[in-house]
Amino acid sequence: MVAEVTVTSTEVSPTSTGDRYVRIERRLGNDEDSDVEWAAVGFIYAIGVLSFAAARLRGVSGMPFEEHDQWTAADLLRHLRYERGRLVCETDYVRGRMMKTDMTVFPDGRFTLTTTNRGEAVSRWVAQIQGKKIVRPVPSAGEPESGE
C-alpha cells in the first residue's frame, strides 16, 4: 500500500473469554488527499490476508480447516458490502478459521478496525501495512507458532 495510514485511537478491553476486544480508529491518506477512493478495497483486502493467515481453528468442531489455506479475492467479495456510503467487511469464521475481524471505511478516509478474541494482533497487522518492521520471538522446536 502506498496510502498513508495514521492512528487516531486504539481501545483494548477484555472479553468474557479472558482474551481481548481491540478497536482501532485510523485514517487512510490525509485531509488533502482522496486516497480512500483508490486505497480502501486494497487496504481491506490486505487486512483480510493478515487476519486469515494468523487465524486458527477455534472450538468449532466439524468445520473444514486447511493448514495452508489463503485469503482470496472471492473471500473478500463474500464479506464486503456497501452500506450507507461506507465499505464494510465483517468476518467471523472463514473455512474453519476464527477471524472475528471487522472493518469499516468511511468516505472521508477514516476507518475502524475491530477484532474479538484475537489478542492484540491487529496492531501488528496495521504496523505491517504502515511498513514497520515487526519483531517477535521464534518458537522453540515443537512449540506451535502464535498467530495472535
Side-chain angles (χ1 to χ4, degrees):
M1 295 230 5
V2 292
E4 184 179 339
V5 177
T6 56
V7 178
T8 33
S9 72
T10 301
E11 168 193 332
V12 180
S13 54
T15 64
S16 60
T17 63
D19 206 328
R20 288 177 273 321
Y21 168 85
V22 179
R23 177 185 171 94
I24 294 176
E25 293 182 9
R26 300 203 178 179
R27 181 168 181 72
L28 280 173
N30 56 43
D31 292 334
E32 295 85 40
D33 296 329
S34 58
D35 292 344
V36 70
E37 293 175 4
W38 57 266
V41 173
F43 173 74
I44 292 171
Y45 181 78
I47 291 292
V49 166
L50 295 169
S51 177
F52 188 84
R56 299 289 174 252
L57 184 64
R58 294 285 167 88
V60 178
S61 60
M63 288 187 98
F65 178 82
E66 291 183 37
E67 184 67 34
H68 301 289
D69 203 355
Q70 294 182 7
W71 181 253
T72 65
D75 293 322
L76 172 66
L77 293 175
R78 261 186 228 103
H79 295 91
L80 187 66
R81 68 181 186 278
Y82 183 75
E83 180 179 278
R84 294 178 288 179
R86 305 171 298 180
L87 281 177
V88 178
C89 183
E90 295 177 331
T91 59
D92 192 23
Y93 285 86
V94 177
R95 290 193 304 282
R97 293 171 186 260
M98 187 186 80
M99 288 183 67
K100 297 205 182 266
T101 302
D102 300 333
M103 296 164 271
T104 301
V105 180
F106 298 87
D108 65 358
R110 290 176 302 116
F111 68 88
T112 59
L113 178 54
T114 62
T115 59
T116 305
N117 296 332
R118 300 293 307 272
E120 294 184 41
V122 67
S123 296
R124 287 192 308 276
W125 306 334
V126 173
Q128 282 180 272
I129 287 175
Q130 289 174 313
K132 296 177 182 174
K133 299 276 186 210
I134 306 300
V135 179
R136 57 182 162 181
V138 176
S140 303
E143 183 181 324
E145 189 171 335
S146 172
E148 317 302 299

